[in-house]
């Protein structure tokens, strides 16, 4: 089975960031290029994984991430 994701370097990794879509702040834990499709046709998207103050991680599009 081929990999459905790959890690992507990002200048804000391990830094405090804000998701502009939700306004939530946290630490950028990873940026991953993921196949988000449910079909046989791949649809790749770069997702940012952010850990909020609660300890829970959430995802957002990389374009929504800015330094806090």
């Amino acid at each position: 089975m081929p990999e459905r994701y790959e890690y992507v370097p990002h200048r804000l990794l391990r830094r405090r960031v804000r998701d502009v879509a939700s306004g939530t702040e946290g630490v950028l834990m990873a940026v991953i290029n993921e196949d988000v499709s449910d079909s046989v046709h791949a649809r790749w998207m770069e997702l940012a994984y952010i850990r909020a103050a609660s300890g829970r991680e959430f995802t957002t599009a990389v374009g929504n991430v800015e330094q806090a």
Side-chain angles (χ1 to χ4, degrees):
M1 181 173 164
E3 294 295 327
R4 296 180 59 108
Y5 64 91
E6 64 182 358
Y7 287 89
V8 178
H10 195 279
R11 65 181 182 83
L12 295 175
L13 279 175
R14 304 280 183 208
R15 299 216 174 150
R16 190 147 187 81
V17 296
R18 178 181 304 107
D19 170 22
V20 297
S22 69
T24 306
E25 293 188 9
V27 177
L28 181 61
M29 302 306 293
V31 174
I32 300 178
N33 192 25
E34 283 188 52
D35 177 4
V36 295
S37 80
D38 288 334
S39 69
V40 293
H41 303 291
R43 180 172 169 252
W44 293 88
M45 182 175 181
E46 284 189 359
L47 295 175
Y49 283 76
I50 300 172
R51 182 173 294 159
S54 67
R56 295 189 73 167
E57 288 188 12
F58 65 95
T59 61
T60 190
V62 156
N64 291 340
V65 175
E66 66 179 21
Q67 189 166 0

